[in-house]
Amino acid sequence: MSSAKHRFRRLFSGLSDNLLPLVLLGVATGLAASLVMICFLVLLNGLLGVWNGASLEDFESLPRGWQLGLPVAGSLLLILLYRLTPASAQAVGLAYVLERLQFGQGRLPAANIGFQFLAALIALGSGHSVGREGPAVHLGAGIASQLGQYVHRPPSQLRLLVGCGTAAAISAAFNTPLAGVLFAMEVVLMEYSLLGFAPIIAAAVTASAVSGLLLGAEPILLPVTLSLASYRDIPGLLLTGVGIGLTAVLFHRLVRLFLRLPLPSRDGRLLLAGLLAGTLALAAPQILGSGYDTINVILGEGLPWPVLLLILAAKLLATAAAIGLGVPGGQIAPTLMLGVCAGGIAGALVPGTSDPGLYALLGMAAMMGAVLHAPLAALATVLELSLSAEAMLPAMIVVLGANLVCQHGFRQPSLVITLLRARGRVLQTHPLRTGLAQRYLSELAGFRFAEFDADGSGALAEVLHGGPEQVVVRLGGESYLVGGDRLAALLQEHAEAEPRERALRRLLLPRRRLVELTGDASLLTAIKSLQQEEGAGFLLPVGRQGLGLVTRAQLVEVLTGEGGLH
């Protein structure tokens, strides 16, 4: 077994930024993530089948006592799970993945993955108003991160693998490979790169093929054929976009309200979320669970707009409470249902000749795009879930209007950014700072230098025997970087030890001092450090390779030279 592990690690140990090996690693990630997601979906569907039979999310047919009590029971189980789990393993979800990408070098602990698996099963199986996408992203990204750490990948490739795992998990869960790719690059990695596209596509395609082979290719949403009846309906589409944008703003503010609710106890917050969901379900049972069955009804047969308004109001409160009070679930499915209800209301009230179902379909994309600041992923999600390519033109109009209202009109951040800020984390969103924050010194570190302890009894002549270009000199608890030629000249000029030592001390100027790190650091952190004081660079531990050196000159060359920063 150990020899097989060694061969597997050696297969990927030499990976660089060459495309083919990264694509192969993306395929491996897609396979691993899809198998985990398949296990999760089988268990979740089995649990839902106990309550709802073959129509897995038909919470509407449950007795009213079950509709009230099931979310409360789920909250009690979540409280028990939290009490049995160490605090270090309790952080989960899409926000946690983004946090680990920017502040944890893409390393997602295995314990948190296991906790996410169990917590999501309880939350989704008990009808809380959350989705499976957040847990899917964490599970896929976590499996990918563990695989990357197993084969000793550098931080930049761990980051890419997290994108692969995200795309694979979404693709496996929903059979939407394109949406998975765009979501990974738009929401998780927050950038598009030519190098990243191929491995992420390979992961998404692999996961979709494996899940389709083992689970079948049953669509979550029933295919619909909806298109714009007349270009005269475009003003109505613009009004719809504005309405969806305002709904997204209201949703953001409700989430922040529940985040700030003065309930310090997690037990109390989870119990309140369950009570709110159960109570609201008595008036609108459609809010329980992810709501894909209700979405299919609205897109197909339609519902009267007063009923849609009731469902929309109850779903807004239940979902905002679940997310703001800490129920471990996703946000995409609830935003799709909020969007389909708001769009359905617009389709009934806005003048026009197009099918009201079209407005409901467009509302899904617009709400998801406005809440998560992910318009392309939202469009791809609706396209792949509905198989309605004819709806793309009007969808872009509505998505644009909703994003302008929410993002620019009311200055609302992405919901994920809001959740991170509530945890005291502020992500870098400026493209340049984001790039610097997500690359690390260990990727630039060199190891071709000699070391000389001026406080010890070592001989400088022995250190210079091999003709090193750079020497790290340690004196008085500090480290300095000096060229080997300068030390060789000093050795020739001063044959006696005492004058040589005095000359060496004069040579060790503050600008030659090295910052010694106990761990890796991002390029953004490194640049800020060099701004604050003079210094020649950094010394840091780099895995099994030992002590690494990154000089100020290296940073300048990497940041200003073509192709220096990948």
Side-chain angles (χ1 to χ4, degrees), residues 375-420:
L376 291 180
L379 289 169
T381 298
V382 172
L383 172 64
E384 291 188 293
L385 288 178
S386 67
L387 300 181
S388 182
E390 295 85 355
M392 284 301 98
L393 174 61
M396 287 188 281
I397 296 172
V398 178
V399 167
L400 175 62
N403 273 269
L404 287 175
V405 168
C406 184
Q407 188 172 350
H408 298 284
F410 286 84
R411 305 287 182 181
Q412 296 297 310
S414 164
L415 180 60
V416 182
I417 301 297
T418 297
L419 296 176
L420 281 171

mmCIF file of all heavy atoms in Angstrom, residues 375-420:
data_model
loop_
_atom_site.group_PDB
_atom_site.id
_atom_site.type_symbol
_atom_site.label_atom_id
_atom_site.label_comp_id
_atom_site.label_asym_id
_atom_site.label_seq_id
_atom_site.Cartn_x
_atom_site.Cartn_y
_atom_site.Cartn_z
ATOM 1 N N PRO A 375 -23.182 37.036 -12.534
ATOM 2 C CA PRO A 375 -24.158 37.011 -13.628
ATOM 3 C C PRO A 375 -23.927 35.902 -14.641
ATOM 4 O O PRO A 375 -24.887 35.278 -15.102
ATOM 5 C CB PRO A 375 -23.999 38.400 -14.262
ATOM 6 C CG PRO A 375 -22.652 38.876 -13.834
ATOM 7 C CD PRO A 375 -22.419 38.292 -12.490
ATOM 8 N N LEU A 376 -22.665 35.632 -15.001
ATOM 9 C CA LEU A 376 -22.412 34.593 -15.996
ATOM 10 C C LEU A 376 -22.766 33.215 -15.456
ATOM 11 O O LEU A 376 -23.370 32.395 -16.156
ATOM 12 C CB LEU A 376 -20.943 34.636 -16.432
ATOM 13 C CG LEU A 376 -20.519 35.852 -17.255
ATOM 14 C CD1 LEU A 376 -19.039 35.763 -17.611
ATOM 15 C CD2 LEU A 376 -21.358 35.971 -18.511
ATOM 16 N N ALA A 377 -22.375 32.931 -14.216
ATOM 17 C CA ALA A 377 -22.727 31.644 -13.622
ATOM 18 C C ALA A 377 -24.236 31.488 -13.498
ATOM 19 O O ALA A 377 -24.786 30.394 -13.698
ATOM 20 C CB ALA A 377 -22.070 31.505 -12.253
ATOM 21 N N ALA A 378 -24.929 32.580 -13.183
ATOM 22 C CA ALA A 378 -26.387 32.532 -13.072
ATOM 23 C C ALA A 378 -27.028 32.223 -14.415
ATOM 24 O O ALA A 378 -27.946 31.389 -14.517
ATOM 25 C CB ALA A 378 -26.917 33.853 -12.520
ATOM 26 N N LEU A 379 -26.565 32.883 -15.474
ATOM 27 C CA LEU A 379 -27.101 32.617 -16.809
ATOM 28 C C LEU A 379 -26.855 31.171 -17.218
ATOM 29 O O LEU A 379 -27.744 30.504 -17.772
ATOM 30 C CB LEU A 379 -26.459 33.566 -17.826
ATOM 31 C CG LEU A 379 -26.889 35.037 -17.748
ATOM 32 C CD1 LEU A 379 -25.988 35.893 -18.617
ATOM 33 C CD2 LEU A 379 -28.344 35.193 -18.157
ATOM 34 N N ALA A 380 -25.647 30.671 -16.941
ATOM 35 C CA ALA A 380 -25.331 29.284 -17.312
ATOM 36 C C ALA A 380 -26.159 28.299 -16.502
ATOM 37 O O ALA A 380 -26.607 27.269 -17.034
ATOM 38 C CB ALA A 380 -23.839 29.020 -17.101
ATOM 39 N N THR A 381 -26.390 28.613 -15.231
ATOM 40 C CA THR A 381 -27.201 27.724 -14.396
ATOM 41 C C THR A 381 -28.610 27.589 -14.953
ATOM 42 O O THR A 381 -29.151 26.481 -15.089
ATOM 43 C CB THR A 381 -27.255 28.268 -12.953
ATOM 44 O OG1 THR A 381 -25.934 28.302 -12.415
ATOM 45 C CG2 THR A 381 -28.130 27.387 -12.079
ATOM 46 N N VAL A 382 -29.219 28.718 -15.280
ATOM 47 C CA VAL A 382 -30.581 28.684 -15.815
ATOM 48 C C VAL A 382 -30.605 28.003 -17.175
ATOM 49 O O VAL A 382 -31.511 27.215 -17.482
ATOM 50 C CB VAL A 382 -31.149 30.114 -15.898
ATOM 51 C CG1 VAL A 382 -32.487 30.122 -16.621
ATOM 52 C CG2 VAL A 382 -31.304 30.693 -14.510
ATOM 53 N N LEU A 383 -29.599 28.277 -17.998
ATOM 54 C CA LEU A 383 -29.535 27.648 -19.321
ATOM 55 C C LEU A 383 -29.466 26.133 -19.204
ATOM 56 O O LEU A 383 -30.210 25.404 -19.877
ATOM 57 C CB LEU A 383 -28.322 28.174 -20.081
ATOM 58 C CG LEU A 383 -27.986 27.472 -21.409
ATOM 59 C CD1 LEU A 383 -29.123 27.670 -22.411
ATOM 60 C CD2 LEU A 383 -26.672 27.986 -21.972
ATOM 61 N N GLU A 384 -28.600 25.640 -18.338
ATOM 62 C CA GLU A 384 -28.412 24.192 -18.237
ATOM 63 C C GLU A 384 -29.532 23.500 -17.480
ATOM 64 O O GLU A 384 -29.875 22.355 -17.779
ATOM 65 C CB GLU A 384 -27.069 23.896 -17.571
ATOM 66 C CG GLU A 384 -25.870 24.273 -18.443
ATOM 67 C CD GLU A 384 -24.559 23.796 -17.857
ATOM 68 O OE1 GLU A 384 -24.170 24.323 -16.800
ATOM 69 O OE2 GLU A 384 -23.931 22.916 -18.452
ATOM 70 N N LEU A 385 -30.101 24.190 -16.481
ATOM 71 C CA LEU A 385 -31.186 23.561 -15.727
ATOM 72 C C LEU A 385 -32.484 23.536 -16.520
ATOM 73 O O LEU A 385 -33.267 22.600 -16.422
ATOM 74 C CB LEU A 385 -31.402 24.292 -14.404
ATOM 75 C CG LEU A 385 -30.324 24.096 -13.326
ATOM 76 C CD1 LEU A 385 -30.655 24.920 -12.096
ATOM 77 C CD2 LEU A 385 -30.178 22.630 -12.953
ATOM 78 N N SER A 386 -32.726 24.559 -17.327
ATOM 79 C CA SER A 386 -34.006 24.649 -18.045
ATOM 80 C C SER A 386 -33.912 24.178 -19.485
ATOM 81 O O SER A 386 -34.931 23.891 -20.115
ATOM 82 C CB SER A 386 -34.498 26.100 -18.040
ATOM 83 O OG SER A 386 -33.632 26.912 -18.819
ATOM 84 N N LEU A 387 -32.696 24.112 -20.035
ATOM 85 C CA LEU A 387 -32.486 23.763 -21.450
ATOM 86 C C LEU A 387 -33.241 24.717 -22.368
ATOM 87 O O LEU A 387 -33.761 24.326 -23.412
ATOM 88 C CB LEU A 387 -32.921 22.311 -21.722
ATOM 89 C CG LEU A 387 -32.192 21.236 -20.914
ATOM 90 C CD1 LEU A 387 -32.704 19.854 -21.302
ATOM 91 C CD2 LEU A 387 -30.696 21.312 -21.119
ATOM 92 N N SER A 388 -33.306 25.997 -21.960
ATOM 93 C CA SER A 388 -34.050 26.978 -22.738
ATOM 94 C C SER A 388 -33.091 28.045 -23.254
ATOM 95 O O SER A 388 -32.919 29.106 -22.654
ATOM 96 C CB SER A 388 -35.148 27.618 -21.871
ATOM 97 O OG SER A 388 -35.898 28.536 -22.633
ATOM 98 N N ALA A 389 -32.432 27.753 -24.367
ATOM 99 C CA ALA A 389 -31.475 28.705 -24.935
ATOM 100 C C ALA A 389 -32.168 29.953 -25.459
ATOM 101 O O ALA A 389 -31.555 31.029 -25.514
ATOM 102 C CB ALA A 389 -30.683 28.031 -26.063
ATOM 103 N N GLU A 390 -33.439 29.840 -25.825
ATOM 104 C CA GLU A 390 -34.155 30.995 -26.367
ATOM 105 C C GLU A 390 -34.326 32.104 -25.331
ATOM 106 O O GLU A 390 -34.604 33.261 -25.670
ATOM 107 C CB GLU A 390 -35.539 30.573 -26.880
ATOM 108 C CG GLU A 390 -35.518 29.630 -28.071
ATOM 109 C CD GLU A 390 -35.371 28.177 -27.660
ATOM 110 O OE1 GLU A 390 -35.192 27.928 -26.437
ATOM 111 O OE2 GLU A 390 -35.417 27.307 -28.534
ATOM 112 N N ALA A 391 -34.156 31.736 -24.068
ATOM 113 C CA ALA A 391 -34.370 32.729 -23.007
ATOM 114 C C ALA A 391 -33.120 33.534 -22.692
ATOM 115 O O ALA A 391 -33.160 34.407 -21.824
ATOM 116 C CB ALA A 391 -34.846 32.019 -21.736
ATOM 117 N N MET A 392 -32.017 33.285 -23.375
ATOM 118 C CA MET A 392 -30.763 33.931 -23.003
ATOM 119 C C MET A 392 -30.771 35.439 -23.226
ATOM 120 O O MET A 392 -30.297 36.197 -22.393
ATOM 121 C CB MET A 392 -29.597 33.291 -23.750
ATOM 122 C CG MET A 392 -29.171 31.931 -23.204
ATOM 123 S SD MET A 392 -28.668 31.996 -21.448
ATOM 124 C CE MET A 392 -30.171 31.435 -20.636
ATOM 125 N N LEU A 393 -31.289 35.914 -24.367
ATOM 126 C CA LEU A 393 -31.306 37.354 -24.628
ATOM 127 C C LEU A 393 -32.123 38.100 -23.585
ATOM 128 O O LEU A 393 -31.614 39.032 -22.946
ATOM 129 C CB LEU A 393 -31.818 37.645 -26.030
ATOM 130 C CG LEU A 393 -32.023 39.141 -26.349
ATOM 131 C CD1 LEU A 393 -30.704 39.898 -26.245
ATOM 132 C CD2 LEU A 393 -32.670 39.320 -27.726
ATOM 133 N N PRO A 394 -33.382 37.735 -23.356
ATOM 134 C CA PRO A 394 -34.127 38.449 -22.298
ATOM 135 C C PRO A 394 -33.507 38.241 -20.918
ATOM 136 O O PRO A 394 -33.577 39.141 -20.069
ATOM 137 C CB PRO A 394 -35.531 37.846 -22.379
ATOM 138 C CG PRO A 394 -35.386 36.577 -23.130
ATOM 139 C CD PRO A 394 -34.249 36.770 -24.072
ATOM 140 N N ALA A 395 -32.873 37.081 -20.692
ATOM 141 C CA ALA A 395 -32.236 36.836 -19.387
ATOM 142 C C ALA A 395 -31.109 37.822 -19.147
ATOM 143 O O ALA A 395 -30.943 38.347 -18.035
ATOM 144 C CB ALA A 395 -31.718 35.405 -19.312
ATOM 145 N N MET A 396 -30.330 38.109 -20.167
ATOM 146 C CA MET A 396 -29.233 39.060 -20.008
ATOM 147 C C MET A 396 -29.752 40.453 -19.683
ATOM 148 O O MET A 396 -29.157 41.189 -18.896
ATOM 149 C CB MET A 396 -28.362 39.072 -21.271
ATOM 150 C CG MET A 396 -27.496 37.831 -21.412
ATOM 151 S SD MET A 396 -26.302 37.926 -22.762
ATOM 152 C CE MET A 396 -27.354 37.554 -24.161
ATOM 153 N N ILE A 397 -30.891 40.823 -20.269
ATOM 154 C CA ILE A 397 -31.470 42.140 -19.982
ATOM 155 C C ILE A 397 -31.896 42.233 -18.518
ATOM 156 O O ILE A 397 -31.584 43.197 -17.812
ATOM 157 C CB ILE A 397 -32.676 42.402 -20.909
ATOM 158 C CG1 ILE A 397 -32.218 42.474 -22.368
ATOM 159 C CG2 ILE A 397 -33.400 43.678 -20.498
ATOM 160 C CD1 ILE A 397 -33.360 42.537 -23.360
ATOM 161 N N VAL A 398 -32.587 41.194 -18.037
ATOM 162 C CA VAL A 398 -33.076 41.209 -16.662
ATOM 163 C C VAL A 398 -31.921 41.108 -15.673
ATOM 164 O O VAL A 398 -31.896 41.792 -14.638
ATOM 165 C CB VAL A 398 -34.102 40.073 -16.453
ATOM 166 C CG1 VAL A 398 -34.580 40.046 -15.001
ATOM 167 C CG2 VAL A 398 -35.284 40.236 -17.382
ATOM 168 N N VAL A 399 -30.942 40.246 -15.972
ATOM 169 C CA VAL A 399 -29.777 40.098 -15.089
ATOM 170 C C VAL A 399 -29.014 41.409 -14.988
ATOM 171 O O VAL A 399 -28.580 41.820 -13.904
ATOM 172 C CB VAL A 399 -28.867 38.961 -15.596
ATOM 173 C CG1 VAL A 399 -27.510 39.001 -14.908
ATOM 174 C CG2 VAL A 399 -29.529 37.609 -15.364
ATOM 175 N N LEU A 400 -28.839 42.088 -16.119
ATOM 176 C CA LEU A 400 -28.139 43.374 -16.109
ATOM 177 C C LEU A 400 -28.870 44.384 -15.228
ATOM 178 O O LEU A 400 -28.262 45.067 -14.390
ATOM 179 C CB LEU A 400 -28.015 43.910 -17.529
ATOM 180 C CG LEU A 400 -27.406 45.314 -17.668
ATOM 181 C CD1 LEU A 400 -25.976 45.334 -17.156
ATOM 182 C CD2 LEU A 400 -27.480 45.781 -19.120
ATOM 183 N N GLY A 401 -30.195 44.489 -15.393
ATOM 184 C CA GLY A 401 -30.962 45.441 -14.589
ATOM 185 C C GLY A 401 -30.875 45.138 -13.105
ATOM 186 O O GLY A 401 -30.676 46.044 -12.282
ATOM 187 N N ALA A 402 -31.007 43.862 -12.740
ATOM 188 C CA ALA A 402 -30.968 43.484 -11.327
ATOM 189 C C ALA A 402 -29.606 43.768 -10.716
ATOM 190 O O ALA A 402 -29.502 44.270 -9.585
ATOM 191 C CB ALA A 402 -31.329 42.011 -11.172
ATOM 192 N N ASN A 403 -28.530 43.469 -11.457
ATOM 193 C CA ASN A 403 -27.182 43.709 -10.934
ATOM 194 C C ASN A 403 -26.899 45.199 -10.779
ATOM 195 O O ASN A 403 -26.255 45.618 -9.823
ATOM 196 C CB ASN A 403 -26.138 43.056 -11.837
ATOM 197 C CG ASN A 403 -25.876 41.609 -11.471
ATOM 198 O OD1 ASN A 403 -25.003 41.301 -10.684
ATOM 199 N ND2 ASN A 403 -26.669 40.715 -12.055
ATOM 200 N N LEU A 404 -27.359 46.001 -11.732
ATOM 201 C CA LEU A 404 -27.140 47.442 -11.625
ATOM 202 C C LEU A 404 -27.842 48.017 -10.396
ATOM 203 O O LEU A 404 -27.278 48.842 -9.673
ATOM 204 C CB LEU A 404 -27.633 48.146 -12.895
ATOM 205 C CG LEU A 404 -26.767 47.971 -14.147
ATOM 206 C CD1 LEU A 404 -27.445 48.614 -15.352
ATOM 207 C CD2 LEU A 404 -25.386 48.575 -13.932
ATOM 208 N N VAL A 405 -29.072 47.580 -10.157
ATOM 209 C CA VAL A 405 -29.826 48.083 -9.003
ATOM 210 C C VAL A 405 -29.158 47.662 -7.696
ATOM 211 O O VAL A 405 -28.927 48.478 -6.793
ATOM 212 C CB VAL A 405 -31.288 47.590 -9.050
ATOM 213 C CG1 VAL A 405 -31.994 47.869 -7.721
ATOM 214 C CG2 VAL A 405 -32.035 48.243 -10.194
ATOM 215 N N CYS A 406 -28.819 46.373 -7.591
ATOM 216 C CA CYS A 406 -28.303 45.837 -6.331
ATOM 217 C C CYS A 406 -26.857 46.249 -6.079
ATOM 218 O O CYS A 406 -26.518 46.755 -5.007
ATOM 219 C CB CYS A 406 -28.422 44.312 -6.339
ATOM 220 S SG CYS A 406 -27.932 43.515 -4.798
ATOM 221 N N GLN A 407 -26.011 46.067 -7.100
ATOM 222 C CA GLN A 407 -24.573 46.246 -6.902
ATOM 223 C C GLN A 407 -24.152 47.710 -6.977
ATOM 224 O O GLN A 407 -23.295 48.153 -6.212
ATOM 225 C CB GLN A 407 -23.809 45.418 -7.928
ATOM 226 C CG GLN A 407 -22.305 45.378 -7.713
ATOM 227 C CD GLN A 407 -21.623 44.389 -8.649
ATOM 228 O OE1 GLN A 407 -22.293 43.609 -9.315
ATOM 229 N NE2 GLN A 407 -20.312 44.439 -8.705
ATOM 230 N N HIS A 408 -24.746 48.463 -7.889
ATOM 231 C CA HIS A 408 -24.323 49.836 -8.096
ATOM 232 C C HIS A 408 -25.311 50.855 -7.505
ATOM 233 O O HIS A 408 -24.888 51.866 -6.941
ATOM 234 C CB HIS A 408 -24.118 50.104 -9.591
ATOM 235 C CG HIS A 408 -23.035 49.248 -10.190
ATOM 236 N ND1 HIS A 408 -21.703 49.491 -9.985
ATOM 237 C CD2 HIS A 408 -23.107 48.130 -10.962
ATOM 238 C CE1 HIS A 408 -20.975 48.569 -10.619
ATOM 239 N NE2 HIS A 408 -21.807 47.736 -11.211
ATOM 240 N N GLY A 409 -26.601 50.567 -7.642
ATOM 241 C CA GLY A 409 -27.575 51.500 -7.093
ATOM 242 C C GLY A 409 -27.568 51.537 -5.578
ATOM 243 O O GLY A 409 -27.567 52.608 -4.968
ATOM 244 N N PHE A 410 -27.545 50.348 -4.930
ATOM 245 C CA PHE A 410 -27.606 50.271 -3.468
ATOM 246 C C PHE A 410 -26.286 49.826 -2.847
ATOM 247 O O PHE A 410 -26.217 49.605 -1.639
ATOM 248 C CB PHE A 410 -28.739 49.326 -3.038
ATOM 249 C CG PHE A 410 -30.111 49.910 -3.216
ATOM 250 C CD1 PHE A 410 -30.760 49.841 -4.443
ATOM 251 C CD2 PHE A 410 -30.747 50.556 -2.165
ATOM 252 C CE1 PHE A 410 -32.027 50.384 -4.612
ATOM 253 C CE2 PHE A 410 -32.010 51.095 -2.324
ATOM 254 C CZ PHE A 410 -32.659 51.017 -3.550
ATOM 255 N N ARG A 411 -25.241 49.637 -3.654
ATOM 256 C CA ARG A 411 -23.895 49.313 -3.156
ATOM 257 C C ARG A 411 -23.882 48.055 -2.289
ATOM 258 O O ARG A 411 -23.195 47.995 -1.278
ATOM 259 C CB ARG A 411 -23.319 50.483 -2.360
ATOM 260 C CG ARG A 411 -23.276 51.796 -3.093
ATOM 261 C CD ARG A 411 -22.207 51.792 -4.149
ATOM 262 N NE ARG A 411 -22.123 53.070 -4.850
ATOM 263 C CZ ARG A 411 -21.285 53.316 -5.836
ATOM 264 N NH1 ARG A 411 -20.459 52.373 -6.245
ATOM 265 N NH2 ARG A 411 -21.263 54.489 -6.447
ATOM 266 N N GLN A 412 -24.660 47.064 -2.683
ATOM 267 C CA GLN A 412 -24.699 45.835 -1.909
ATOM 268 C C GLN A 412 -23.544 44.914 -2.332
ATOM 269 O O GLN A 412 -23.360 44.645 -3.517
ATOM 270 C CB GLN A 412 -26.019 45.105 -2.111
ATOM 271 C CG GLN A 412 -27.228 45.866 -1.614
ATOM 272 C CD GLN A 412 -27.180 46.095 -0.123
ATOM 273 O OE1 GLN A 412 -26.963 45.171 0.655
ATOM 274 N NE2 GLN A 412 -27.369 47.335 0.292
ATOM 275 N N PRO A 413 -22.760 44.404 -1.380
ATOM 276 C CA PRO A 413 -21.706 43.444 -1.739
ATOM 277 C C PRO A 413 -22.295 42.078 -2.034
ATOM 278 O O PRO A 413 -23.495 41.841 -1.833
ATOM 279 C CB PRO A 413 -20.843 43.411 -0.474
ATOM 280 C CG PRO A 413 -21.823 43.676 0.629
ATOM 281 C CD PRO A 413 -22.829 44.653 0.059
ATOM 282 N N SER A 414 -21.462 41.186 -2.509
ATOM 283 C CA SER A 414 -21.883 39.796 -2.648
ATOM 284 C C SER A 414 -22.290 39.253 -1.285
ATOM 285 O O SER A 414 -21.717 39.621 -0.249
ATOM 286 C CB SER A 414 -20.739 38.962 -3.226
ATOM 287 O OG SER A 414 -20.966 37.583 -3.036
ATOM 288 N N LEU A 415 -23.277 38.364 -1.269
ATOM 289 C CA LEU A 415 -23.724 37.782 -0.002
ATOM 290 C C LEU A 415 -22.577 37.058 0.696
ATOM 291 O O LEU A 415 -22.477 37.077 1.933
ATOM 292 C CB LEU A 415 -24.886 36.817 -0.255
ATOM 293 C CG LEU A 415 -25.468 36.120 0.968
ATOM 294 C CD1 LEU A 415 -26.016 37.130 1.967
ATOM 295 C CD2 LEU A 415 -26.559 35.137 0.562
ATOM 296 N N VAL A 416 -21.694 36.428 -0.058
ATOM 297 C CA VAL A 416 -20.563 35.715 0.536
ATOM 298 C C VAL A 416 -19.633 36.700 1.240
ATOM 299 O O VAL A 416 -19.127 36.427 2.335
ATOM 300 C CB VAL A 416 -19.793 34.928 -0.537
ATOM 301 C CG1 VAL A 416 -18.644 34.158 0.082
ATOM 302 C CG2 VAL A 416 -20.725 33.972 -1.265
ATOM 303 N N ILE A 417 -19.408 37.869 0.638
ATOM 304 C CA ILE A 417 -18.579 38.894 1.271
ATOM 305 C C ILE A 417 -19.226 39.370 2.566
ATOM 306 O O ILE A 417 -18.552 39.597 3.583
ATOM 307 C CB ILE A 417 -18.365 40.079 0.314
ATOM 308 C CG1 ILE A 417 -17.678 39.614 -0.974
ATOM 309 C CG2 ILE A 417 -17.572 41.180 0.983
ATOM 310 C CD1 ILE A 417 -16.310 39.055 -0.777
ATOM 311 N N THR A 418 -20.553 39.518 2.554
ATOM 312 C CA THR A 418 -21.276 39.920 3.768
ATOM 313 C C THR A 418 -21.069 38.904 4.880
ATOM 314 O O THR A 418 -20.827 39.271 6.040
ATOM 315 C CB THR A 418 -22.777 40.068 3.460
ATOM 316 O OG1 THR A 418 -22.960 41.107 2.493
ATOM 317 C CG2 THR A 418 -23.560 40.409 4.710
ATOM 318 N N LEU A 419 -21.159 37.622 4.556
ATOM 319 C CA LEU A 419 -20.984 36.573 5.570
ATOM 320 C C LEU A 419 -19.564 36.564 6.113
ATOM 321 O O LEU A 419 -19.343 36.341 7.315
ATOM 322 C CB LEU A 419 -21.335 35.208 4.972
ATOM 323 C CG LEU A 419 -22.790 35.020 4.539
ATOM 324 C CD1 LEU A 419 -22.981 33.664 3.885
ATOM 325 C CD2 LEU A 419 -23.723 35.163 5.738
ATOM 326 N N LEU A 420 -18.589 36.814 5.259
ATOM 327 C CA LEU A 420 -17.199 36.853 5.718
ATOM 328 C C LEU A 420 -16.950 38.070 6.608
ATOM 329 O O LEU A 420 -16.222 37.983 7.603
ATOM 330 C CB LEU A 420 -16.253 36.874 4.519
ATOM 331 C CG LEU A 420 -16.016 35.511 3.855
ATOM 332 C CD1 LEU A 420 -15.241 35.673 2.564
ATOM 333 C CD2 LEU A 420 -15.271 34.577 4.798
#
